[in-house]
Amino acid sequence: MHEDRFLIAGLGNPGRAFRRNRHNVGFIVLDHLAAQWNVRFTRHRFEALLTDGAIDGRPVILAKPQTYMNLVGRSVAALARYFRIPNDHVLIIFDDLDLPMGTLRLRGSGGSAGHKGLTSILEHLGTQDVPRLRVGISRPPGSMDPADYVLQDFSEGEWEAMQPNLDRSLDCIRTWIVEGIAAAMNRFNPPPD
C-alpha cells in the first residue's frame, strides 16, 4: 500500500451539458483544485478522467468517474486497487440536498444516506470506512422534485455564492491530507461564520 498517496474522487455526471449542475459539485470541486494546480484531466483509466498533483509533498490523484452515478464504485475501487491506495486515503466528494449552501460535512465512515454513487463505492470497496466530503446545495424550493432540482444548473447568484465554498472545500481537503480527518472535521464541519 502507498500510505503517502491519496485518491480524491469527485462525483458528477459526465458531459458538458451537466457542467454546472448542482449534482456535479464533486466534479466542480476537483476542477477548482486542478485549476489551482494548473493541470488538466487528460488521462482516462478505469472509466475515469484523471490528473494528479501534490499537497504538501504528498501525491494526490484526482478522479472524475465517467460512469452512471450508480456504477461509480466500479471505477473508484479499480483505481484504489491499481494505485494501491488504502481506503482511509480515498476521499469521495459529492452534493448533499440536506445541507445548506455553503456548508461542508466531512466524515470518515458511515452509510450512504441513499446517495447512489456513494452506495456503489461502499459496495465495491467492501467497507463503510471511506472518508467523504458532502457539499451543501440546499433543498429545492417549494414542492419541486429533488431529482429535477439536482440536475438543474446553479443560478448565477448560487454560482457566485458557491465560490467561497469551493475554496473552503480545498482548504478542507488540504487539512485532511496534512493534519488528518479529525482536524479537518473540527475545522470545517461547523457552519462558516
Side-chain angles (χ1 to χ4, degrees):
M1 290 288 179
H2 286 282
E3 295 296 328
D4 64 336
R5 186 181 288 170
F6 293 81
L7 171 64
I8 303 175
L11 303 188
N13 291 310
R16 291 190 66 80
F18 301 105
R19 229 173 88 219
R20 279 197 174 184
N21 276 190
R22 293 180 182 96
H23 210 27
N24 274 37
V25 161
F27 283 8
I28 292 166
V29 169
L30 291 193
D31 286 339
H32 197 63
L33 182 51
Q36 277 200 354
W37 288 349
N38 200 25
V39 297
R40 293 174 169 249
F41 287 88
T42 54
R43 297 187 346 255
H44 196 276
R45 180 174 272 172
F46 299 112
E47 301 177 284
L49 290 173
L50 305 177
T51 194
D52 46 26
I55 292 177
D56 204 36
R58 295 162 175 94
V60 179
I61 298 162
L62 304 182
K64 297 196 298 188
Q66 300 296 291
T67 65
Y68 289 113
M69 192 64 79
N70 60 342
L71 300 175
V72 296
R74 198 167 64 190
S75 172
V76 172
L79 288 165
R81 275 194 303 275
Y82 180 81
F83 290 109
R84 298 173 51 215
I85 298 173
N87 290 338
D88 65 343
H89 282 209
V90 175
L91 180 66
I92 313 303
I93 304 174
F94 57 97
D95 59 284
D96 192 318
L97 283 167
D98 294 320
L99 291 176
M101 186 89 65
T103 305
L104 302 176
R105 273 300 173 282
L106 178 67
R107 294 278 183 262
S109 65
S112 68
H115 192 286
K116 290 187 169 103
L118 187 57
T119 298
S120 175
I121 291 166
L122 300 180
E123 286 173 359
H124 279 84
L125 289 176
T127 181
Q128 292 193 338
D129 297 332
V130 180
R132 73 284 314 259
L133 177 61
R134 298 181 298 153
V135 180
I137 61 169
S138 299
R139 301 268 336 146
S143 58
M144 179 186 272
D145 182 352
D148 294 334
Y149 175 75
V150 298
L151 293 175
Q152 285 182 347
D153 284 356
F154 287 105
S155 69
E156 282 307 313
E158 289 170 333
W159 187 251
E160 295 269 321
M162 273 300 291
Q163 299 314 301
N165 209 25
L166 296 179
D167 293 335
R168 279 186 83 233
S169 297
L170 301 195
D171 290 342
C172 180
I173 292 166
R174 187 169 290 107
T175 302
W176 170 68
I177 287 174
V178 175
E179 299 178 41
I181 196 160
M185 287 169 60
N186 287 338
R187 199 167 307 157
F188 294 95
N189 284 353
D193 296 334

